[in-house]
Amino acid sequence: MNLRISTWAVHNPVPTTLLFILLTLAGIAGFVAMPVQNFPDLDFPIVTVSAELPGASPPQLESDVARTIEDALAKLQDVKHIASTLSDGLATVTVEFRIGKPVQEALDDVRGAVSGTRASLPADLRDPVIRKVELASTPVLTYTISSSRLDEEALSWFVDGRVSKRLLAVPGIGAVSRVGGAEREVRVELDPDRLLALNTTATDLSQRLRALQQQAAGGRVRIGGAEQSVRTLATAASARDVAGLDVSLSDGRRLSLDQVARVTDDVAEPRSAALVDGRPAVAFDILRARGAGEIALAEAARAVVRDLQTAHPEVTFAEAVNSVDPVAENYRGSMALLYEGAALAVLVVFLFLRDSRATLIAAVALPLSVLPAFAVMHLLGFTLNTVSLLSLSLVVGVLVDDAIVEIENIERHLLLGKTPLRASIGAAEEIGLAVVATTFTLIAVFVPTSLMGGIVGRYFVQFGWTAAVAVFFSLVVARLLTPMLAAYFLKAPAARRRTPRWIMRYLHGVRWCLRHRGAALVIAALLVGGGLAVAALLPGEFSPADD
């Protein structure tokens, strides 16, 4: 088979050069556009169902709510685990499906199953909240705030009102969660003696208050020749309004709520607390949205916090927890590893080829293989993370293999007395099929790693495709650019170079193996068997165990 694409590239250097200029620019644009993350965003089919029944105890929630929802979810296909968490007034059911089930399909199945059980659940149960588990929603930064002029309650309202709104306007921030502080609560403290004297109960008053505190559509009415919508408003704007509500008793009597209870606008009893150096504090977490990069998000969030600090000098912001610096350190380390691998690969090529021009032509294959790969990674929705950068670091030495084979064969033709142009065309056509076969063999090795199942397979999706794309572009460079550069930049050697001593020793070993084929096969079998025996002793965990 004669692949003449290299001949076309040699005779048409301008289109070939423009092609790689466009690929390089696209790669640079893709590299700049991709966010930097610690690990790729993963979608696992895990769905939670939160059902709230105020005042219910955990045993009641288990029998009346959780068990009913669990029975309905157990009938779904591909369900792997179901777990329930019960607390006062709240039941949370988590259902995990088998890896491979689409997340949206899992969410729809759970929503349909819970809707079918609504008639079997308590009437007072609030509508269950169904959501998928977002693994990307982890705190990136945590700040604590303090003030000599504002108390804990005022700081809590400051975080909920001002800080959250400013930060949520930043692209990439998924949520701002306050930790510690106070929660507002309108407290109604009933007088038991008055209730007993009026022959009523707290349950009666609670039901009537719930009926009063509502909004409803009132239809439409024509006023002044125009049709307008009407709403029924029955909500209180303050604790004083709640205290003045007119409540009807079961025997027909009517009274205001403040006659049987004391209504105050207070803070709720604390259920959680944030401590810094053992002292109570008001803090807030900044959570990353899916697809956002930690480094860019942290820079934008810190800029907003600096603006808030300037606008409110009475409040002091302190960065308590930072999970961004390890991500930035890993990114810098991965990029440094990539640069070091490329430099060592070029050095090894120079030691073997012993020609600066040939080394330069082979070295061009490195950036022109990696940069276009960034463009494809961006189109596939990949990010610059530990997995994708590790993939590039591992294959950086492989990216020059095709170019080295092409150049070595071109130099052999030059030694036969051919001109660089004829040598490049003849050498490229001679080994074209071998180079293509070798490259697609490597692609066939890397692609299956991105198609593995289970949790490990989800992590290695970007690993396999990144390596395969980079290796493919190294083939494009070797078949188009390398022969073209060799035809116009290589020179015929003045004399045959002297073969180094280490190559002579290597050739002596090769001749020995050819003369003693049986011994060579026995040695190879022992090495393979020993490797398999040692591999069987290695631990099989996905992640290393903690010491």
Side-chain angles (χ1 to χ4, degrees), residues 208 212 241-248 253-257:
R208 285 163 173 78
L212 291 173
D241 295 338
V242 174
L245 287 176
D246 192 16
V247 181
S248 61
R253 289 180 293 173
R254 305 179 65 86
L255 50 82
S256 59
L257 184 61

Side-chain angles (χ1 to χ4, degrees), residues 6 82 152 157 266 348 511 527 531:
S6 300
I82 297 177
E152 184 182 49
W157 306 161
D266 205 345
V348 172
R511 296 188 186 98
L527 291 175

Side-chain angles (χ1 to χ4, degrees), residues 94-224:
T94 303
V95 53
E96 178 185 354
F97 292 85
R98 300 189 184 279
I99 298 296
K101 187 178 182 67
V103 177
Q104 187 59 45
E105 182 180 340
L107 193 65
D108 294 338
D109 290 348
V110 172
R111 187 177 289 112
V114 174
S115 298
T117 63
R118 193 64 182 90
S120 303
L121 297 174
D124 294 340
L125 182 73
R126 297 180 180 176
D127 291 337
V129 178
I130 303 171
R131 61 170 65 93
K132 63 180 179 180
V133 176
E134 293 283 356
L135 298 182
S137 297
T138 55
V140 175
L141 294 172
T142 299
Y143 281 91
T144 62
I145 62 173
S146 59
S147 175
S148 58
R149 296 169 51 186
L150 302 178
D151 58 6
E152 184 182 49
E153 182 179 351
L155 289 175
S156 301
W157 306 161
F158 177 73
V159 171
D160 294 342
R162 294 182 178 272
V163 177
S164 297
K165 292 180 180 179
R166 288 287 305 276
L167 288 173
L168 288 176
V170 177
I173 295 182
V176 178
S177 175
R178 177 165 56 82
V179 182
E183 297 288 344
R184 184 183 180 187
E185 180 181 80
V186 177
R187 184 172 302 174
V188 179
E189 299 178 359
L190 297 174
D191 186 347
D193 295 333
R194 294 284 296 169
L195 293 179
L196 183 61
L198 295 171
N199 194 25
T200 188
T201 63
T203 303
D204 294 336
L205 290 177
S206 177
Q207 292 176 351
R208 285 163 173 78
L209 282 176
R210 188 180 297 112
L212 291 173
Q213 288 286 103
Q214 63 180 348
Q215 297 186 18
R220 307 183 71 85
V221 66
R222 295 186 64 86
I223 301 177

